[in-house]
Amino acid sequence: MTRGRLLVFLGAAPGVGKTYAMLEEAHGLIAHGKDVVAAVVLDHGRSATAALAKGIETVPPRIVQHGGLRLEEVDLDAVLARRPGVALVDELAHSNAPGSPHAKRWEDVDTLLDAGIDVLSTVNIQHIDSLNDVVERITGIPQRETIPDGVLRQADRIELVDLAPQALRDRLAAGQVYPETRIDAALSNYFRVGNLTALRELALLWLADEVDSALQRYRSEHGIAAAWEARERVVVALTGGQEGETLLRRGARIAARSGSGELLAVHVTSEDGLAAPDPGALAAQQVLVEQLGGSYHRIVGEDIPTALIGFARAVHATQLVLGVSRRSRLVALLTGPGTSTRVIRASGDIDVHIVTHGFAGTRSSLVPQRRGALSARRRLLGFAVAVVGGPLLSLLLSATRTPDGLTADALAYQLLVILVALVGGAWPAAFAALLSGLTLDYLFTEPLFTLTIARPEHLAAVAIYLVNALLVSVVVDRAARLTRVARRSASESAVLATIAGGVLRGTDAVRALLERTKEAFGMSAVRLIVDGRVVEEHGEQEPDAVVSRVAVDAATAVELVGRPLDAADRGILDVVATQLGVALEQRALTDTARRLEPLAEVDRVRSALLAAVGHDLRRPLAVATAAVTSLRSSEARLSDSDRGQLLESAERSLDVLARLVTDLLDVSRVQAGALAVSLESIDVPDLLPAALEDVGAGPDAVVLHVPEALPPVRADPVLLTRVLVNLLSNALRHSPAGSPPELSLSTFGEQLQARVIDHGPGIDEDRRSRMFEPFQHESDATDSGGIGLGLALSRGFAEGMGATLEAEDTPGGGLTMVVGLPIDATVREPADA
């Protein structure tokens, strides 16, 4: 079955006309022959909206009475049974009334979409989850009804219903949004011009980012690498030279011309760091970038033009700004094409701007600014081997020279060149080849001790030797480069394996990904940024550390603090970002499931409550009703004794009902976290007479063990008395004749323990875990009476006071309930020295 399509009308504030626009769209669809029904359309008392809703078939909403209010909810079953082509469902972020199939209306919409039904809906910007805190700072009003960004981003179409702030205020003042009694308060609070302007900007920016994200998804899904100039992204290449300020200001002007262009500055550093720029100039240019509203990036690359083009394509740049080369004409003639020329050749569809400046042509050095694949130390060692090894080899060959030994001498020098190439790479090997060629001609080729070669075959041999030596040096240098690439690939594989292994072994995939990424890349800190806020951080930022950012999605990014990243690092981090996106989605699903667990518990409690009410409340209610009916009957002739018995039965039944209702209310307060607790310093022995009197226990009914000089505790006297009454009632009910229950008080560590001990049949271990749950009859005996709330209430009261309630076996049989009360530290006597 094809999934339905979702069209959402987005507004910056109430009253901009979202529902009206949705109804207009519906009438247009009806005119084109579409089957459209209104599942829920709220006109909010606005006559124009109500008039436009006429003529659209309505599926009657499900009416729910909740908290004295009449709520209209989507009748999901009726809409699915009607199976229209299009359904209108207003207020996508609405929270459904208790008892609905789903907690949120957007979940109802998702069900309709799964059934192949197209949906038109509405939502305001303040209900988007990621913007909730921003809207609260703007308006000062928290929004309790929100919709996840991901749900809204999955819509097939989002249309912004825009209205100027003053036009919306005029509409509000004319009574077209709220009733007359609410107009003045709305105009002076939520609907102030500043608030409306900020909300409007927020809506426009969110929608612009969503359009940009949708474009990137489309390009990625269709394998489109070429830049699309939907939004100008200007990349300015900085060398760290003094011309950087000129380039940045020119790039900022280019970005500003498009109205919404983005400015990015990038500096490419070599892997060896020998050609480091002036750090002061680069720091000043970074500050200037931020002042111009751009972002600064630093990457590492062996080849600057390749790294620049790679970065520009990675950020989908449309313009690339470079400065005119600082090389002089002589240097340019001798060294060949420069960075600018190579960038232009490789830029493809990216426009390249070459900007002149006052420092052009001022560099005349022929010293190369980049190294080969080998380190400077190895190259110096190669030169040393050539300088030392050449004379030593020449002395050895001179001592063993023969008239026909030129070939052997050439091979010996060839071996020296190979050795130098293996040690120092191409340049030392080329130096050794040239030096050994001259030595071979001077010392071993007739005529000796001159650079003249008499025989043509000897000239050819020396020339071939030089060519071979140079080729060998190039091959060895290339092999070193390939070895470095292979090591880098192996390192990247090891990094990915380390990250993946850490995720698989960890319980929190997001945390494991961040920690493994920090370790694998040798960073001082890694931060997870969601909607501009740091939600998770590992490590500490070091002074002067480089901060690199990798995007996960439009609202999420990872910041790595430490060394600069090169292009290869960013390639691996793209994979990490993809894994992190999946891990974040999994975390969100886990959090959602965790949030649903209390709802399942509430459903279980509700079912148990209904069963309990149907059974345990019916009996005393029936007895009381029958007694009152008999007393009021004019036909029954009752004696004073009969009348007294009926009154006593009614009173006893009503007392039972009152206790049950009180317990139910208390359980509701405990589960809702709304239990009123008033802690004070009390002496537990002072509460015992009232508790014993409440349970109707005589002097010999309970054995008391109360030592003298017990410390006071911090507790609520009313709640603690009720706990003791509940526990004593159970103990009295289940204690056999001749074995009265016991109540003992004693101190244990930082607690005063009240132990209520009975010698009844006890309780099985498998049932003990459930005895503190509501609506369980899991005390000492199976017939505990009531609806099973006593122990649940007792534990709830104890925990509300910061105390504990646990069950233990009584030695010899029975059950011991232990109440652990915190001793009042403010009045505790100091220990003896």
Side-chain angles (χ1 to χ4, degrees), residues 416-433:
L416 174 64
V417 172
I418 293 174
L419 178 63
V420 172
L422 290 173
V423 173
W427 290 109
F431 170 75

Side-chain angles (χ1 to χ4, degrees), residues 588 590-600:
T590 303
D591 292 342
T592 301
R594 190 179 296 114
R595 288 196 299 269
L596 290 177
E597 287 178 359
L599 296 178

Side-chain angles (χ1 to χ4, degrees), residues 310-326:
F311 176 81
R313 294 200 184 282
V315 299
H316 307 290
T318 59
Q319 313 273 345
L320 187 56
V321 178
L322 297 90
V324 171
S325 176
R326 287 180 290 171

Side-chain angles (χ1 to χ4, degrees), residues 798-832:
E799 293 177 347
M801 296 184 294
T804 60
L805 176 59
E806 302 294 340
E808 299 177 355
D809 289 327
T810 301
L815 189 69
T816 299
M817 305 300 295
V818 183
V819 184
L821 299 161
I823 296 175
D824 188 359
T826 60
V827 297
R828 187 187 307 163
E829 295 183 0
D832 295 335

Side-chain angles (χ1 to χ4, degrees), residues 581-756:
V582 174
L584 287 171
E585 184 177 356
Q586 182 181 9
R587 174 188 278 185
L589 292 174
T590 303
D591 292 342
T592 301
R594 190 179 296 114
R595 288 196 299 269
L596 290 177
E597 287 178 359
L599 296 178
E601 177 64 17
V602 169
D603 287 340
R604 190 194 66 78
V605 171
R606 184 185 294 113
S607 300
L609 174 60
L610 293 175
V613 169
H615 178 270
D616 294 284
L617 296 185
R618 187 182 303 156
R619 183 172 51 188
L621 184 61
V623 172
T625 302
V628 172
T629 302
S630 299
L631 289 170
R632 294 190 59 184
S633 175
S634 59
E635 298 179 357
R637 297 180 180 179
L638 301 174
S639 64
D640 291 341
S641 175
D642 293 337
R643 188 178 298 275
Q645 289 181 357
L646 289 174
L647 287 173
E648 183 179 353
S649 297
E651 183 179 10
R652 187 167 55 251
S653 298
L654 292 175
D655 285 342
V656 172
L657 284 174
R659 285 198 301 272
L660 292 176
V661 172
T662 300
D663 287 347
L664 288 172
L665 292 175
D666 287 338
V667 165
S668 299
R669 294 190 186 99
V670 169
Q671 292 186 336
L675 183 67
V677 179
S678 177
L679 298 179
E680 58 185 79
S681 181
I682 59 173
D683 291 317
V684 177
D686 294 343
L687 304 180
L688 298 184
L692 294 171
E693 182 180 355
D694 200 350
V695 298
D700 300 328
V702 178
V703 179
L704 301 178
H705 303 281
V706 183
E708 297 181 358
L710 288 173
V713 299
R714 293 287 295 176
D716 185 315
V718 176
L719 296 182
L720 181 54
T721 300
R722 290 195 62 184
V723 171
L724 294 175
V725 168
N726 285 339
L727 299 181
L728 287 171
S729 297
N730 279 339
L732 287 168
R733 184 162 52 249
H734 304 305
S735 293
S739 298
E742 304 174 36
L743 191 156
S744 70
L745 301 179
S746 62
T747 58
F748 183 79
E750 300 295 322
Q751 288 186 333
L752 186 149
Q753 292 187 341
R755 309 174 74 89
V756 179

Side-chain angles (χ1 to χ4, degrees), residues 757-778:
I757 307 165
D758 71 56
H759 302 281
I763 186 170
D764 297 336
E765 186 66 31
D766 59 342
R767 292 190 297 153
R768 188 175 298 176
S769 61
R770 303 192 305 269
M771 64 187 297
F772 292 106
E773 298 178 5
F775 313 109
Q776 300 290 329
H777 297 278
E778 301 290 350

